[in-house]
Amino acid sequence: MLIDHESGDTWTPLSYLSDDQARFNVYDSSLSEFAALGFEYGYSVESPNSLVLWEAQFGDFVNGAQTIIDEFISASEQKWGQNSSVVMLAAARLRGPGAGPLLRPHRALPAAVRGGEHAGRGAVHPGELLPPAAQAGAHRAAQAADRLHPEVDLCATRRPSARSRTSPPAPSSRSCRTRPWTRPACAASPLASGKVYWDLVARREKLGATDTAIVRVERLYPLPEAQLRTTLDAYPDAPLVWVQEEPQNQGAWSFMAMNFPVEVGRTLRVVARPASASPATGSTAVHKAEQEDLLTRAFEA
């Protein structure tokens, strides 16, 4: 559509392709993820056998949909007994150039906690990053088991290197237990799907550090307390450090600082970016410098 800046008249070239063409109309629609996620939520309620997925590709998508998440997805089962199995796919990893990650994990974690008769069952189930086929299978398995709860899957925006993917996954494996690690670092990104674990493993290999164990916490709610106790009992006197990419006032740190000592019985220190109002710097160069500092401090803690 073209506009004559002198007369204000509009002209749509596609309306004049031929004398016998159909009418052509142009309408602008609002980019409203409030409406989009609201529709998907309602569809999942009315069609419980359908696998309904909503994907947020940019930060403003989740921000615009936050009202639906807070008022309906997080609270509808506890308030009204209304079940939904909508799956929210949100890339949530720091890269630096954007205004921030696509989902602020510290917003999702409180939605995983419910009290009263629902105690111990999360309203929103944080999901682990899986390959697409396995991810779809996991969602279908949850539906088949009548676990109709919303889920949040946080997808990494950068895959770990091939070398990192072949590294020992955690000191809970037999090969890791034989190593003389005395300083475990509880390293996990929010909701257990991030790349900071792999960055730490790669840095440990580069340093040749043999005194630091890296534990990947696979799930934050509910915390796998029995598994964590078993793993960490091998290091009763070692300091534990929670490492996250997000600023200290964001990510999962506040959640872990409050729940980890109660459920696991150990205290944590934190290595994170300095507290910030913005999730990311807006500069790739600054982001890389911060990431280097983060990894350095993680092995000095």
Side-chain angles (χ1 to χ4, degrees):
M1 180 182 294
L2 304 177
I3 299 177
D4 188 318
H5 292 283
E6 294 183 359
S7 66
D9 294 337
T10 60
W11 185 66
T12 305
L14 292 178
S15 295
Y16 301 95
L17 297 178
S18 66
D19 294 335
D20 59 349
Q21 73 175 62
R23 183 177 178 179
F24 179 79
N25 295 320
V26 177
Y27 298 100
D28 288 331
S29 61
S30 62
L31 179 58
S32 173
E33 289 305 313
F34 172 87
L37 184 55
F39 175 87
E40 303 299 355
Y41 167 78
Y43 194 99
S44 71
V45 170
E46 294 300 318
S47 183
N49 293 324
S50 298
L51 177 58
V52 182
L53 302 98
W54 169 81
E55 181 182 13
Q57 297 177 330
F58 299 98
D60 58 346
F61 284 19
V62 176
N63 290 336
Q66 194 66 42
T67 303
I68 295 294
I69 296 172
D70 291 343
E71 295 298 324
F72 294 93
I73 293 176
S74 298
S76 63
E77 183 178 352
Q78 187 168 0
K79 289 196 298 185
W80 309 309
Q82 181 167 280
N83 294 92
S84 164
S85 59
V86 65
V87 178
M88 295 174 285
L89 304 173
R93 294 297 166 253
L94 293 177
R95 291 180 294 176
L102 304 188
L103 175 72
R104 301 190 186 205
H106 49 286
R107 290 179 180 174
L109 281 169
V113 181
R114 295 187 299 180
E117 62 178 310
H118 302 281
R121 293 193 304 157
V124 174
H125 287 211
E128 181 186 357
L129 178 66
L130 297 169
Q135 190 178 67
H139 298 321
R140 283 300 192 190
Q143 287 184 310
D146 292 328
R147 297 197 303 271
L148 296 181
H149 303 290
E151 295 186 18
V152 179
D153 284 338
L154 304 186
C155 311
T157 56
R158 179 172 68 83
R159 292 182 178 275
S161 65
R163 181 182 179 186
S164 296
R165 287 198 299 270
T166 61
S167 302
S172 57
S173 67
R174 181 176 302 175
S175 61
C176 292
R177 286 191 180 132
T178 64
R179 300 192 180 190
W181 289 328
T182 58
R183 298 173 55 231
C186 271
S189 66
L191 307 187
S193 61
K195 63 184 178 59
V196 70
Y197 166 80
W198 303 105
D199 293 339
L200 288 164
V201 169
R203 178 56 58 93
R204 183 177 64 187
E205 292 179 355
K206 181 179 180 181
L207 294 174
T210 60
D211 63 345
T212 302
I214 304 174
V215 179
R216 186 183 183 194
V217 181
E218 298 288 349
R219 186 181 68 245
L220 292 182
Y221 187 84
L223 273 173
E225 52 183 284
Q227 177 185 351
L228 287 171
R229 287 177 184 272
T230 299
T231 300
L232 298 177
D233 280 350
Y235 315 98
D237 300 319
L240 304 181
V241 181
W242 175 261
V243 183
Q244 67 177 32
E245 291 187 289
E246 289 76 13
Q248 186 167 331
N249 62 322
Q250 301 178 35
W253 166 238
S254 296
F255 187 88
M256 289 296 290
M258 179 174 62
N259 290 281
F260 192 88
V262 175
E263 299 188 25
V264 182
R266 300 281 292 273
T267 58
L268 289 172
R269 288 184 290 167
V270 62
V271 170
R273 282 174 164 78
S276 171
S278 172
T281 65
S283 165
T284 301
V286 173
H287 172 79
K288 289 181 178 179
E290 288 183 346
Q291 190 74 359
E292 178 65 25
D293 174 68
L294 181 81
L295 296 174
T296 298
R297 288 188 289 117
F299 284 89
E300 292 175 349

